[in-house]
Amino acid sequence: MGRRIMEWAARSDYMGGIPRKMVIMAVGGLAKAAVSLLNNTTVHNADTLLRLVRSRPPGVPLVTVSNHMSTMDDPLLWGFKGFPITDAKLSRWALAAEDICFKSSMLSYFFRLGKCIPITRGGGIYQEHMNEALERLSEGEWLHTFPEGKVSQEDAPIRRLKWGTASLIARAPVTPIVLPIVHTGFEQVMPENFYHGKRPPFPLWNKNIKIIVGEPMELDLPKMRQMAMSLSRNISHPTLGWPSTCPGGLDEAAQRCLYIAISEKIQNVMETLRTFARSFSKSKDQNLC
């Protein structure tokens, strides 16, 4: 087993859970102020997200996936009115870039208290911290990911997704509920090139934010595994030494096919939501926050 960065600080029983509660309440309060008070935020289908966060079947994990428009997407994404962002028990776990969020001991401690799991970009889907994320899913927790892998502030189609999220969905002992979310506006709240190519020191205000929550995805994983096994027989790829730990004992070629299929399905749903978001206008099925 590889080294896990400050895993002790991420445990719920660390110092009675008090440091975690303090960090999540403070960050959540600031996010709620930025999103609910200082900007104009509209959320579509918020009830579905709220229901799955608060009352999933026991032991069933939740994986939310979204596009990545700014470095402040998380936590601002959860700052809309009515969302329990300051509740440490209900708060999401999130995959976070190690080279940004964990580049010092102080940052590592802070983000660990905030239920973040460090991911080394380019480290592969079987890096140790991906195993940690898998453990959280096995406990029925909620995990949020940005499967595009990096921030992009262009108004462009959803990019090809990295396989990490798909691998977690496929490898989880209990198949997670997968909920897609697409948002716009955070690129204006925290622009990458605000002044001389730098971000602003704090979130901007009086911007229009739209958050589009989709419906839980239907992923027939047994069928997708069978299809992946059939397709992989005719495909040759250089091997990376992946273990056959995916449920069903799929070899590396079959895992590639499975992760591609899951990723493409998620990407297509996210692109449909993005198209909807562009034409999104105020109507009775919106929640104005």
Side-chain angles (χ1 to χ4, degrees):
M1 179 181 290
R3 182 180 65 91
R4 294 186 181 180
I5 298 173
M6 287 194 188
E7 185 183 17
W8 48 270
R11 294 172 184 159
S12 61
D13 60 353
Y14 168 64
M15 294 184 66
I18 294 174
R20 173 187 286 185
K21 290 178 181 177
M22 291 175 63
V23 165
I24 290 178
M25 287 185 67
V27 173
L30 291 172
K32 190 167 287 290
V35 174
S36 298
L37 299 177
L38 300 179
N39 287 283
N40 307 309
T41 302
T42 307
V43 187
H44 170 78
N45 198 28
D47 288 346
T48 296
L49 175 61
L50 290 167
R51 173 174 54 84
L52 291 174
V53 168
R54 287 177 168 147
S55 57
R56 294 187 304 283
V60 177
L62 171 65
V63 173
T64 51
V65 294
S66 76
N67 56 326
H68 206 358
M69 298 296 287
S70 80
T71 55
M72 293 293 289
D73 289 352
D74 187 301
L76 295 186
L77 186 56
W78 322 115
F80 63 86
K81 186 177 179 181
F83 192 87
I85 189 171
T86 57
D87 189 323
K89 187 174 182 181
L90 293 179
S91 179
R92 90 291 169 267
W93 288 87
L95 303 184
E98 182 178 3
D99 60 324
I100 296 175
C101 301
F102 293 83
K103 58 185 179 182
S104 72
S105 296
M106 186 65 72
L107 283 174
S108 297
Y109 183 64
F110 175 78
F111 281 101
R112 274 308 209 171
L113 291 177
K115 298 175 73 170
C116 292
I117 300 172
I119 295 297
T120 303
R121 288 189 271 203
I125 62 175
Y126 283 102
Q127 60 182 281
E128 182 57 37
H129 286 111
M130 287 291 282
N131 293 332
E132 182 182 345
L134 196 60
E135 290 171 10
R136 300 293 79 77
L137 292 179
S138 69
E139 296 166 355
E141 296 281 358
W142 167 29
L143 177 71
H144 182 71
T145 75
F146 297 102
E148 291 177 294
K150 62 181 180 180
V151 169
S152 175
Q153 300 198 326
E154 299 176 1
D155 181 14
I158 301 296
R159 292 163 294 168
R160 185 183 71 83
L161 306 186
K162 305 296 185 181
W163 295 349
T165 299
S167 75
L168 291 173
I169 293 169
R171 295 163 59 200
V174 176
T175 300
I177 297 170
V178 180
L179 186 69
I181 302 172
V182 166
H183 51 82
T184 64
F186 292 130
E187 74 281 6
Q188 299 174 32
V189 175
M190 184 55 68
E192 289 288 297
N193 297 307
F194 177 68
Y195 183 73
H196 291 299
K198 295 184 178 181
R199 306 182 192 101
F202 42 75
L204 305 182
W205 55 90
N206 202 28
K207 308 299 181 182
N208 294 318
I209 299 169
K210 296 177 183 177
I211 300 172
I212 312 297
V213 180
E215 295 295 333
M217 294 183 60
E218 295 183 6
L219 295 172
D220 188 344
L221 290 184
K223 183 177 180 180
M224 295 179 80
R225 288 190 185 100
Q226 289 296 323
M227 183 68 71
M229 290 174 67
S230 298
L231 290 173
S232 66
R233 296 190 184 103
N234 302 316
I235 298 176
S236 176
H237 284 291
T239 60
L240 298 174
W242 291 354
S244 298
T245 56
C246 186
L250 301 186
D251 62 20
E252 187 170 322
Q255 287 182 60
R256 286 173 178 267
C257 292
L258 177 61
Y259 302 156
I260 289 172
I262 295 173
S263 297
E264 288 181 347
K265 191 162 186 176
I266 295 173
Q267 180 183 359
N268 290 337
V269 172
M270 290 176 65
E271 179 58 26
T272 299
L273 290 179
R274 190 188 76 90
T275 302
F276 174 74
R278 297 183 70 183
S279 60
F280 188 52
S281 60
K282 291 183 174 65
S283 62
K284 291 183 180 180
D285 66 345
Q286 296 174 7
N287 299 311
L288 187 61
C289 304

